[in-house]
Short mmCIF file of all heavy atoms in Angstrom, two decimals:
data_model
loop_
_atom_site.label_atom_id
_atom_site.label_comp_id
_atom_site.label_asym_id
_atom_site.label_seq_id
_atom_site.Cartn_x
_atom_site.Cartn_y
_atom_site.Cartn_z
N LYS A 116 92.69 92.45 142.60
CA LYS A 116 93.59 93.22 143.48
C LYS A 116 94.77 93.83 142.72
O LYS A 116 95.54 94.59 143.30
CB LYS A 116 94.18 92.28 144.54
CG LYS A 116 93.28 91.94 145.68
CD LYS A 116 94.06 91.15 146.75
CE LYS A 116 95.30 91.87 147.23
NZ LYS A 116 95.28 92.44 148.53
N ARG A 118 97.27 92.06 141.98
CA ARG A 118 98.33 91.50 142.82
C ARG A 118 99.32 90.72 141.99
O ARG A 118 98.93 89.91 141.14
CB ARG A 118 97.67 90.58 143.86
CG ARG A 118 98.61 89.98 144.91
CD ARG A 118 97.75 89.18 145.86
NE ARG A 118 98.43 88.48 146.91
CZ ARG A 118 98.51 88.91 148.18
NH1 ARG A 118 98.03 90.08 148.51
NH2 ARG A 118 99.07 88.17 149.10
N ASN A 122 102.95 86.59 144.83
CA ASN A 122 102.63 86.93 146.21
C ASN A 122 101.50 86.02 146.70
O ASN A 122 100.36 86.17 146.31
CB ASN A 122 102.21 88.42 146.27
CG ASN A 122 102.08 88.91 147.70
OD1 ASN A 122 102.21 88.15 148.65
ND2 ASN A 122 101.80 90.19 147.85
N PRO A 123 101.84 85.02 147.54
CA PRO A 123 100.87 83.96 147.88
C PRO A 123 99.71 84.42 148.77
O PRO A 123 99.79 85.46 149.41
CB PRO A 123 101.73 82.93 148.62
CG PRO A 123 102.89 83.69 149.14
CD PRO A 123 103.15 84.81 148.19
N LEU A 124 98.65 83.60 148.79
CA LEU A 124 97.45 83.92 149.56
C LEU A 124 97.41 83.09 150.85
O LEU A 124 98.05 82.05 150.93
CB LEU A 124 96.20 83.59 148.73
CG LEU A 124 96.18 84.09 147.29
CD1 LEU A 124 94.84 83.74 146.64
CD2 LEU A 124 96.42 85.59 147.23
N ILE A 125 96.64 83.54 151.81
CA ILE A 125 96.45 82.77 153.04
C ILE A 125 95.19 81.92 152.89
O ILE A 125 94.16 82.39 152.40
CB ILE A 125 96.35 83.70 154.27
CG1 ILE A 125 97.69 84.40 154.51
CG2 ILE A 125 95.92 82.91 155.51
CD1 ILE A 125 97.69 85.44 155.62
N ILE A 160 102.96 78.79 158.50
CA ILE A 160 103.53 78.29 157.24
C ILE A 160 103.78 76.79 157.41
O ILE A 160 104.51 76.38 158.31
CB ILE A 160 104.86 79.02 156.88
CG1 ILE A 160 104.66 80.54 156.82
CG2 ILE A 160 105.45 78.48 155.57
CD1 ILE A 160 103.70 81.03 155.77
N LEU A 175 105.13 78.23 145.60
CA LEU A 175 105.89 77.62 146.70
C LEU A 175 105.37 76.24 147.09
O LEU A 175 104.23 75.89 146.78
CB LEU A 175 105.82 78.52 147.94
CG LEU A 175 106.46 79.91 147.84
CD1 LEU A 175 106.18 80.70 149.10
CD2 LEU A 175 107.96 79.78 147.63
N THR A 177 105.11 75.50 150.18
CA THR A 177 104.54 75.70 151.51
C THR A 177 103.20 76.43 151.35
O THR A 177 102.95 77.06 150.32
CB THR A 177 105.48 76.57 152.38
OG1 THR A 177 105.82 77.75 151.65
CG2 THR A 177 106.74 75.82 152.77
N VAL A 178 102.36 76.31 152.39
CA VAL A 178 101.09 77.05 152.42
C VAL A 178 101.03 77.89 153.68
O VAL A 178 101.64 77.55 154.69
CB VAL A 178 99.85 76.11 152.44
CG1 VAL A 178 99.56 75.54 151.08
CG2 VAL A 178 99.99 75.02 153.49
N ALA A 179 100.28 78.98 153.62
CA ALA A 179 100.00 79.79 154.80
C ALA A 179 98.54 79.51 155.17
O ALA A 179 97.66 79.64 154.34
CB ALA A 179 100.21 81.27 154.48
N ALA A 201 92.34 83.67 150.67
CA ALA A 201 91.99 85.09 150.73
C ALA A 201 93.12 85.98 151.22
O ALA A 201 93.58 85.84 152.34
CB ALA A 201 90.79 85.28 151.66
N PRO A 202 93.55 86.90 150.37
CA PRO A 202 94.43 87.97 150.85
C PRO A 202 93.55 89.13 151.31
O PRO A 202 92.32 89.02 151.27
CB PRO A 202 95.19 88.36 149.58
CG PRO A 202 94.19 88.15 148.48
CD PRO A 202 93.26 87.04 148.93
N SER A 203 94.14 90.22 151.75
CA SER A 203 93.34 91.38 152.16
C SER A 203 92.62 91.96 150.93
O SER A 203 93.13 91.91 149.82
CB SER A 203 94.25 92.42 152.79
OG SER A 203 95.33 92.72 151.94
N GLU A 240 96.63 92.80 160.09
CA GLU A 240 96.58 91.43 159.63
C GLU A 240 97.13 90.44 160.67
O GLU A 240 97.71 90.83 161.67
CB GLU A 240 97.39 91.27 158.33
CG GLU A 240 96.90 92.11 157.17
CD GLU A 240 97.46 93.52 157.18
OE1 GLU A 240 98.03 93.95 158.20
OE2 GLU A 240 97.33 94.18 156.14
N ILE A 243 102.26 86.04 161.04
CA ILE A 243 102.65 84.85 160.25
C ILE A 243 103.93 84.25 160.82
O ILE A 243 104.95 84.93 160.92
CB ILE A 243 102.86 85.18 158.76
CG1 ILE A 243 101.62 85.89 158.17
CG2 ILE A 243 103.18 83.91 157.97
CD1 ILE A 243 101.73 86.21 156.67
N MET A 254 107.48 85.78 159.97
CA MET A 254 107.46 86.25 158.59
C MET A 254 106.77 87.61 158.49
O MET A 254 107.08 88.40 157.61
CB MET A 254 106.72 85.27 157.68
CG MET A 254 107.25 83.84 157.72
SD MET A 254 109.00 83.74 157.39
CE MET A 254 109.02 83.94 155.63
N ARG A 255 105.81 87.83 159.37
CA ARG A 255 105.12 89.12 159.40
C ARG A 255 104.54 89.32 160.80
O ARG A 255 103.79 88.47 161.26
CB ARG A 255 103.98 89.13 158.38
CG ARG A 255 103.12 90.40 158.45
CD ARG A 255 102.00 90.40 157.42
NE ARG A 255 100.89 89.55 157.82
CZ ARG A 255 99.84 89.25 157.03
NH1 ARG A 255 99.79 89.73 155.80
NH2 ARG A 255 98.87 88.49 157.48
N LEU A 288 112.05 83.18 150.20
CA LEU A 288 111.56 82.97 151.57
C LEU A 288 110.11 83.39 151.74
O LEU A 288 109.28 82.64 152.21
CB LEU A 288 112.41 83.83 152.52
CG LEU A 288 113.48 83.13 153.33
CD1 LEU A 288 114.23 84.15 154.15
CD2 LEU A 288 112.89 82.06 154.22
N ALA A 289 109.82 84.61 151.37
CA ALA A 289 108.48 85.15 151.59
C ALA A 289 108.18 86.18 150.51
O ALA A 289 108.37 87.36 150.70
CB ALA A 289 108.39 85.79 152.96
N PRO A 290 107.71 85.69 149.39
CA PRO A 290 107.54 86.57 148.23
C PRO A 290 106.69 87.79 148.53
O PRO A 290 106.88 88.83 147.96
CB PRO A 290 106.81 85.67 147.23
CG PRO A 290 106.92 84.30 147.73
CD PRO A 290 107.22 84.34 149.17
N GLY A 291 105.74 87.62 149.45
CA GLY A 291 104.79 88.69 149.68
C GLY A 291 105.40 89.96 150.21
O GLY A 291 104.80 91.03 150.11
N VAL A 292 106.57 89.87 150.80
CA VAL A 292 107.06 90.98 151.59
C VAL A 292 107.89 91.99 150.81
O VAL A 292 108.35 92.97 151.35
CB VAL A 292 107.83 90.45 152.81
CG1 VAL A 292 107.41 91.22 154.05
CG2 VAL A 292 107.54 88.99 153.06
P1 AMP B 568 97.66 89.42 152.73
O1 AMP B 568 96.57 88.58 153.33
O2 AMP B 568 97.19 90.33 151.65
O3 AMP B 568 98.39 90.14 153.79
O4 AMP B 568 98.68 88.44 152.04
C1 AMP B 568 99.06 87.20 152.60
C2 AMP B 568 100.51 87.20 152.96
O5 AMP B 568 100.82 85.90 153.47
C3 AMP B 568 101.44 87.39 151.80
O6 AMP B 568 101.79 88.74 151.63
C4 AMP B 568 102.66 86.55 152.13
O7 AMP B 568 103.69 87.35 152.68
C5 AMP B 568 102.18 85.60 153.22
N1 AMP B 568 102.30 84.20 152.76
C6 AMP B 568 101.34 83.47 152.15
N2 AMP B 568 101.80 82.24 151.86
C7 AMP B 568 103.08 82.19 152.26
C8 AMP B 568 104.09 81.18 152.22
N3 AMP B 568 103.89 79.98 151.72
N4 AMP B 568 105.31 81.50 152.74
C9 AMP B 568 105.52 82.73 153.28
N5 AMP B 568 104.61 83.71 153.34
C10 AMP B 568 103.40 83.45 152.84
#
Side-chain angles (χ1 to χ4, degrees):
K116 282 187 56 106
R118 185 177 178 101
N122 189 355
L124 312 183
I125 293 175
I160 304 298
L175 296 175
T177 51
V178 282
S203 52
E240 299 86 346
I243 306 182
M254 305 306 283
R255 174 180 77 187
L288 258 178
V292 225

